[in-house]
Amino acid sequence: MKISIVMPVYNVSEYLPKAIDSVLKQTFKDFELLLIDDGSKDDSGKICDEYAKKDSRITVFHKENGGLSSARNYGIEHAKAEFIGFIDSDDFISENMYERLYDAITSNSADMSMCRVLDCYGGVIPKFESSDKVEVYTREEAMKEILIAEKASVWAVNKLYKKSLFDNVRYPVGKITEDGFVILDLLSQCSRVVLVNDAVYYYIHRENSITTTKFSAKNYNTIEAWERNYEIVKENFPSVEYEAKMRVIWAYFNVLDKMIKLSDPEDIKKRREIIKYIRSNFSFIMKCPYFHKSRKLSAVVLMVSGGLYRKLIAFK
C-alpha cells in the first residue's frame, strides 16, 4: 500500500462511524487504516473491531489510555507505507482528500503536502470556494505560511507526509498543542512542501474537545511550543524570525483569553506575567500586518486596563 492513515480513537462512539466511513469512501484506494483505540471506555473499541471485519485495509490496535500523542506515536511505529497521514476520530474528510494530497506530493517530488481546513462549529459546515490550484513552497516559505496561518495550518490532520520525516520525531506525550511542538522539526527536514488550495478536511469543534475546553495548566504548553519554535527559527531560519515572533505573541494572547476569569492566586500571578509580555510587544503588535484589527484593538484595551480587557473578552 502507498499510504498509512492513523486514526487515534478515544470515547467518540457518536462520531466515529462518520470518520471511518469518510476514509473508506476515498477515491484513493491503496491505503491502510490504523485505528488506535486508546483505552476507550465507551463502544468505540467495538465499533473499530466491527469495521475491521468488513474491510481488510483496517487494522485495530487496543492500548492503554495514553492520550492523543501516545496514540499517534503508536500508529507511526506500526505504519507500513511510504506516506503517512493522520485523522481525528471526530472529524471527517472529503472523498478525494487523499487522492489530491498524494497526487500533489508525488507529482511535485515534495516531502509534505497539505490542504485547507474547514472549522465547523455547532454542526454548521461553512461554505468554501474550491480550487484546483496547487502551490509549491520551499522549506522557509512553508514555515512562513504555517506561522501566519492564513492558508496553511499547524494541524497534523490535513497533511500527507513522507513517513521518513518521523524517523526521529514523535509527538510529545502529556502535552497539548502537540502539533505545534513537532511542526518545525518536520518542516526542517523538507526540501519542498505543497499546498492543495482547497478545504477538504472538516475539523469539528465539540464542546468537550481539546480545542474548546476551559483553561487548565496544560494551556501553558501553547506558549512553550511556540517559544521553542521561535528559538529553532532564530537559530536556523532567520528569514522567518518575524513571523515566528508573531506566533509567540499569538500564543500569549491565546492563553490569556482562556485564563481571563481565573481567580487562583498562582494563576493571577501568571496572568500578570503574560499581560506584561504582551504590553512589552505593543508596538510590534500594532505594526504587524498579520494581526487583525480586532486583535490590535484588544491590545489597545489591554494597555489601558486589564479589567477592561477581561470584560471585552467575556463579551466576545
Side-chain angles (χ1 to χ4, degrees), residues 112 138-148 153-155 159 161 165-166 168-172 177-191 193 224-241 243-245 247-248:
M112 181 191 303
T138 64
R139 178 192 296 114
E140 286 80 0
E141 288 171 342
M143 288 180 179
K144 180 178 179 178
E145 288 297 330
I146 285 177
L147 287 166
I148 64 178
S153 69
V154 69
W155 305 121
K159 299 175 177 64
Y161 315 79
L165 296 179
F166 288 94
N168 297 300
V169 176
R170 291 295 185 271
Y171 289 94
T177 319
E178 57 281 316
D179 299 340
F181 275 101
V182 304
I183 189 62
L184 264 293
D185 294 329
L186 296 170
L187 288 172
S188 296
Q189 303 176 66
C190 296
S191 297
V193 177
E224 179 187 354
W226 291 107
E227 286 187 332
R228 175 184 182 275
N229 287 337
Y230 177 75
E231 294 302 320
I232 293 174
V233 165
K234 186 178 179 180
E235 182 176 350
N236 301 290
F237 310 103
S239 65
V240 292
E241 183 177 344
E243 288 77 14
K245 181 176 180 180
R247 193 70 175 194
V248 172

Side-chain angles (χ1 to χ4, degrees), residues 206-226:
R206 296 182 290 120
E207 282 300 315
N208 60 340
S209 69
I210 292 174
T211 54
T212 56
T213 47
K214 294 182 180 179
F215 181 84
S216 76
K218 283 190 175 183
N219 287 108
Y220 296 131
N221 293 161
T222 302
I223 293 175
E224 179 187 354
W226 291 107

Side-chain angles (χ1 to χ4, degrees), residues 9-14 37 39-47:
V9 175
Y10 180 69
N11 291 353
V12 286
S13 57
E14 181 181 351
D37 173 27
S40 296
K41 297 177 182 179
D42 64 358
D43 290 333
S44 296
K46 294 179 181 179
I47 293 172

